[in-house]
Amino acid sequence: MAAKIPTDALKELRVNEASKANGKAAKPVPAADDDEGHAEDSDDDADENGAANGTDGATGAAKKKKKRKPKKKKKNPTAQTEPPSVMVSQLFPNKSYPKGEEVEYKDENNYRTTNEEKRHLDNLNSEFLTDYREAAEIHRQVRQYAKKTIRPGQTLTDIAETIENGVRSLTGHSGLTEGDAMVAGMGFPCGLSLNHCAAHYTPNAGNKMVLQQDDVMKVDFGVHVNGRIVDSAFTVAFEPKYDNLLKAVQEATNAGIREAGIDARVGEIGGVIQETMESFEVEIDGTSYPVKSIRNLTGHNILPYSIHGTKAVPIVKSNDQTKMEEGDVFAIETFGSTGNGYVRDDMEVSHYAKNADIQHVDLRLSSAKALLSVINKNFGTLPFCRRYLDRLGQDKYLLGLNSLVNSGVVEAYPPLCDKKGSYTAQFEHTILIRPTVKEVISRGEDY
């Protein structure tokens, strides 16, 4: 999820760490196997056969009982299905989820890799790492299926719901019962932003938009397990003419990841990202365009149940001296554009999140009060979109939702767009600044 700066100067986002959900939704207990009375049926059949043969049940000389066949135990699945439907926790029953890419610290921090005290701190974070690695593995499996199946001619609604339903299946939490989505599921709605729109667009109900052969689409979604959010994004394009645009942004993201680490200053990271990004140009339909970093979008740190923390990572050079610290979690995301390199709010809003800074507001509309209760119970401070309210059976909620936005209780995230006719691309990874190494938790074979 992109963080937007209102001016060229970097402005820190202030989002308090949200309270972690207290309980986990109960998993459904599978129905007990029914023996269907086979033993009793066998006895009855045997008695009948005995009578026919002139023997009684007491002697049982000719009575034969059918042997009950032992029931076969269901084996745990060993591979993911297509589309993804098997819970990742079943594929990894010991919770030994794959690690992300581990990168050793360098220079004055290289001692951390073998330092016993730091290794002990890492071991204390085993639950933290397990949750993050499960979320990351879910993200990898869902997005890799999506990348194989996304094609021109599909509606954006079908693409978004395929991804989101995959995430819910692999976490084992459909999000349809109260509080279930707070245990695990979508950490950020599936954004499908086309062409000049860089971020925060997902179809609302009734949207009939269809992906075209000439489109450039940013696919940005988050997965959370117990509030630990993995935020990662990639760009889809079907025409080779966009290859250099995508390459510029992917290399810029990787450059930012390389520079990130303990005591790294975010302003300097932004300078490296910009230098990498703007060393590229792209030729589209006979016209060459320099690839520009979108200067008012940033990466961000991530807190439990809050996708935007208190630190931002610019993608242009700045004087921001904020340091990355041990224990931080960052989304390193970069955006490149063939346009102005500056985005503005545009189009219909779909993304929202409860503002954790607002403690209490007197709401006059009963519809706003009722909707706030639904948001508190099902999303807390996790971002959501209007389709998620539709899934929960909410209707005629727009008046109440607008009231919550106007009162500051809920923040709206409008789509962010460069000038029309331009093309934008995005790549993003989540990294853990661990005591011993930097772990690119969302890294996969695809990007």
Side-chain angles (χ1 to χ4, degrees), residues 157-330:
T157 299
D158 284 345
I159 296 170
E161 290 183 346
T162 295
I163 290 172
E164 291 168 348
N165 289 337
V167 169
R168 294 181 184 115
S169 294
L170 270 57
T171 59
H173 294 275
S174 68
L176 291 174
T177 57
E178 188 176 291
D180 192 44
M182 297 277 286
V183 180
M186 293 301 299
F188 178 70
C190 180
L192 300 173
S193 305
L194 297 179
N195 304 325
H196 71 290
C197 182
H200 297 175
Y201 183 88
T202 197
N204 289 324
N207 186 304
K208 304 296 184 184
M209 192 176 294
V210 174
L211 180 64
Q212 304 296 324
Q213 177 73 25
D214 209 41
D215 284 337
V216 177
M217 182 171 71
K218 282 66 64 183
V219 182
D220 184 0
F221 67 98
V223 179
H224 90 92
V225 174
N226 293 322
R228 273 79 184 240
I229 305 171
V230 170
D231 191 13
S232 188
F234 59 95
T235 300
V236 173
F238 306 101
E239 294 292 335
K241 61 186 176 182
Y242 302 120
D243 287 353
N244 249 21
L245 173 61
L246 272 62
K247 184 179 179 181
V249 182
Q250 188 169 3
E251 289 198 8
T253 298
N254 287 332
I257 291 169
R258 283 194 301 272
E259 295 300 312
I262 294 172
D263 294 335
R265 299 181 188 275
V266 297
E268 294 173 2
I269 295 173
V272 173
I273 289 172
Q274 182 178 17
E275 182 179 1
T276 304
M277 180 91 70
E278 297 185 354
S279 67
F280 285 82
E281 65 177 24
V282 56
E283 183 177 321
I284 301 174
D285 298 332
T287 303
S288 291
Y289 301 90
V291 180
K292 300 177 183 177
S293 283
I294 298 180
R295 59 187 181 274
N296 62 330
L297 292 180
T298 73
H300 48 91
N301 73 320
I302 301 173
L303 299 174
Y305 289 98
S306 182
I307 200 163
H308 280 173
T310 57
K311 299 177 183 178
V313 185
I315 60 175
V316 293
K317 186 176 177 59
S318 79
N319 294 321
D320 193 320
Q321 297 298 302
T322 302
K323 288 183 179 181
M324 293 183 169
E325 298 173 280
E326 180 182 313
D328 280 344
V329 178
F330 277 95

Side-chain angles (χ1 to χ4, degrees), residues 432-444:
L432 311 182
I433 310 296
R434 289 169 47 195
T436 56
V437 291
K438 170 177 58 183
E439 184 170 353
V440 190
I441 195 74
S442 54
R443 181 75 80 190

Side-chain angles (χ1 to χ4, degrees), residues 118-171:
K118 301 301 181 185
R119 291 170 71 175
H120 177 65
L121 286 174
D122 246 354
N123 291 335
L124 292 177
N125 285 331
S126 59
E127 182 183 347
F128 167 90
L129 290 173
T130 298
D131 288 344
Y132 263 112
R133 287 173 181 163
E134 180 180 358
E137 181 62 18
I138 291 166
H139 198 289
R140 278 189 291 271
Q141 292 193 15
V142 171
R143 78 183 188 230
Q144 287 169 7
Y145 174 76
K147 291 177 81 172
K148 286 196 298 185
T149 57
I150 290 174
R151 292 292 181 269
Q154 292 177 298
T155 66
L156 298 194
T157 299
D158 284 345
I159 296 170
E161 290 183 346
T162 295
I163 290 172
E164 291 168 348
N165 289 337
V167 169
R168 294 181 184 115
S169 294
L170 270 57
T171 59

Side-chain angles (χ1 to χ4, degrees), residues 69-86:
K69 293 181 180 179
K71 295 205 176 283
K72 293 182 180 179
K73 292 184 178 179
K74 291 183 179 179
K75 294 182 179 179
N76 285 332
T78 58
Q80 191 53 264
T81 59
E82 290 194 356
S85 61
V86 179

Side-chain angles (χ1 to χ4, degrees), residues 86-103:
V86 179
M87 290 170 56
V88 163
S89 59
Q90 291 182 343
L91 298 177
F92 299 90
N94 297 325
K95 294 190 174 183
S96 55
Y97 302 109
K99 295 180 181 180
E101 177 192 16
E102 292 186 336
V103 182

